[in-house]
Amino acid sequence: GNSVTQMEGPVTLSEEAFLTINCTYTATGYPSLFWYVQYPGEGLQLLLKATKADDKGSNKGFEATYRKETTSFHLEKGSVQVSDSAVYFCALSDNSSNTGKLIFGQGTTLQVKP
Amino acid sequence: KAGVTQTPRYLIKTRGQQVTLSCSPISGHRSVSWYQQTPGQGLQFLFEYFSETQRNKGNFPGRFSGRQFSNSRSEMNVSTLELGDSALYLCASSQYRVTNTGELFFGEGSRLTVL
């Protein structure tokens, strides 16, 4: 079945450091890929998405490229801020079957220290 | 535009009781999904409702049920509560079924503790 695997956290970085959170997926069909972020005490919110191979999603300085050959969708940011501290979830939806759901990875906690 | 509203935000129940959680989607959104979030299992899909019909159900026992009303509001019910049902229950809405747009708008969740 479809699944998403993320690197385990927590990831602890100093402010202005470079961030990479790895995400790989297994899917039949043609999934769309997403990164969601959950700030403390809040629900999840969409950070960025990519709907086909080689698409790059970007938002708030974060980027991720849909790599079909490596089945990956790694999240990157060049310079993190303390306000980026949150839990990040990689997710996929299978557009080829009408499942109507997202499949999430386990989440990666990011802590940014000043 | 108001976001997704979930009530109650926090609740404590004892084993064997039942609980009903409510979700009001963003105005104009017709699809409501429910997810269970726990530290061990992460986010697990419970149900998806669209136009008052359950379109998809996750791998949960029959004690978990839900429904959607004509105004798109949704409720989920868990009967005969078990300790393992302690979790954050997240509701998410979207204008269409998620496979069309991929974007879900989440509420802040209802945190259920079962003692």
Side-chain angles (χ1 to χ4, degrees), chain B residues 5-66:
Chain B
T5 304
Q6 292 188 245
T7 57
R9 289 292 312 281
Y10 302 91
L11 64 167
I12 299 173
K13 295 286 187 179
T14 57
R15 279 180 298 175
Q17 287 186 310
Q18 75 163 17
V19 65
T20 299
L21 309 178
S22 179
C23 172
S24 293
I26 291 172
S27 177
H29 285 193
R30 295 166 58 195
S31 175
V32 173
S33 302
W34 289 87
Y35 289 81
Q36 181 195 63
Q37 185 177 18
T38 59
Q41 298 297 315
L43 279 154
Q44 301 286 311
F45 172 79
L46 281 158
F47 332 94
E48 180 213 3
Y49 288 89
F50 184 79
S51 295
E52 301 178 64
T53 301
Q54 186 180 94
R55 303 292 177 147
N56 202 4
K57 188 176 195 295
N59 190 24
F60 280 82
R63 301 185 295 106
F64 291 80
S65 63

Side-chain angles (χ1 to χ4, degrees), chain B residues 38-109:
Chain B
T38 59
Q41 298 297 315
L43 279 154
Q44 301 286 311
F45 172 79
L46 281 158
F47 332 94
E48 180 213 3
Y49 288 89
F50 184 79
S51 295
E52 301 178 64
T53 301
Q54 186 180 94
R55 303 292 177 147
N56 202 4
K57 188 176 195 295
N59 190 24
F60 280 82
R63 301 185 295 106
F64 291 80
S65 63
R67 57 179 175 169
Q68 186 181 33
F69 302 95
S70 58
N71 62 359
S72 294
R73 192 176 69 84
S74 177
E75 289 181 348
M76 67 163 283
N77 183 275
V78 187
S79 63
T80 319
L81 284 166
E82 300 177 359
L83 295 179
D85 297 332
S86 295
L88 180 66
Y89 290 88
L90 291 167
C91 169
S93 75
S94 59
Q95 191 171 5
Y96 307 106
R97 296 193 67 193
V98 70
T99 50
N100 292 327
T101 68
E103 180 166 9
L104 295 177
F105 294 83
F106 282 83
E108 293 178 319

Side-chain angles (χ1 to χ4, degrees), chain A residues 81-96:
Chain A
Q81 306 299 312
V82 172
S83 57
D84 294 325
S85 298
V87 182
Y88 292 82
F89 294 90
C90 185
L92 69 82
S93 71
D94 184 358
N95 296 330
S96 66

Side-chain angles (χ1 to χ4, degrees), chain A:
Chain A
N2 296 344
S3 66
V4 176
T5 303
Q6 291 180 234
M7 62 186 286
E8 288 194 26
V11 174
T12 303
L13 296 173
S14 298
E15 208 165 20
E16 298 184 3
F18 184 85
L19 168 71
T20 300
I21 299 178
N22 290 338
C23 170
T24 57
Y25 67 89
T26 301
T28 56
Y30 307 94
S32 294
L33 300 174
F34 310 90
W35 278 100
Y36 278 79
V37 58
Q38 186 177 32
Y39 297 103
E42 299 184 11
L44 281 73
Q45 54 186 277
L46 179 66
L47 181 60
L48 53 84
K49 69 177 180 181
T51 58
K52 61 183 188 296
D54 300 324
D55 268 1
K56 178 186 281 188
S58 61
N59 186 26
K60 298 181 182 180
F62 291 90
E63 292 183 339
T65 301
Y66 187 164
R67 303 282 189 204
K68 189 174 182 182
E69 64 275 13
T70 54
T71 62
S72 65
F73 192 56
H74 304 321
L75 182 68
E76 296 182 336
K77 186 176 185 183
S79 176
V80 293
Q81 306 299 312
V82 172
S83 57
D84 294 325
S85 298
V87 182
Y88 292 82
F89 294 90
C90 185
L92 69 82
S93 71
D94 184 358
N95 296 330
S96 66
S97 64
N98 206 15
T99 59
K101 69 180 183 183
L102 293 183
I103 295 172
F104 288 88
Q106 288 289 94
T108 302
T109 300
L110 170 65
Q111 283 185 318
V112 180
K113 299 191 172 181

